[in-house]
Amino acid sequence: MAVYRIYLVHDDGRLEPDASFYCTTDEEAVIKLHPPRRADIRAELWQGGRFIAAAGHRQASRPQRPTIHG
């Protein structure tokens, strides 16, 4: 099991810790990632220093579904 963390990234550059949890796979962790309700914030999922996925889009008019990277 690995520790995953979700951070909220604001348009003004602020980084806000949101959640920390254990999962066995990246796919399991992505299920816990949801787009923020505000269009000026993006949620990012990280496992250590490895970027996993993002949900929502900064400066977007509507939230997007989570996508897995790398």
Side-chain angles (χ1 to χ4, degrees):
M1 279 201 164
V3 175
Y4 289 83
R5 290 188 170 84
I6 296 175
Y7 295 95
L8 301 178
V9 182
H10 296 252
D11 273 353
D12 62 7
R14 284 182 294 135
L15 186 66
E16 179 182 343
D18 185 54
S20 180
F21 50 89
Y22 289 93
C23 288
T24 56
T25 66
D26 290 350
E27 291 77 15
E28 181 184 342
V30 167
I31 292 170
K32 298 178 182 274
L33 181 65
H34 301 285
R37 293 178 190 214
R38 291 177 39 188
D40 63 334
I41 299 175
R42 169 178 146 131
E44 293 186 354
L45 176 65
W46 290 79
Q47 190 274 313
R50 187 169 62 95
F51 176 76
I52 305 297
H57 190 276
R58 291 171 27 196
Q59 299 177 345
S61 58
R62 60 186 165 87
Q64 299 173 346
R65 304 232 353 122
T67 53
I68 297 177
H69 298 271

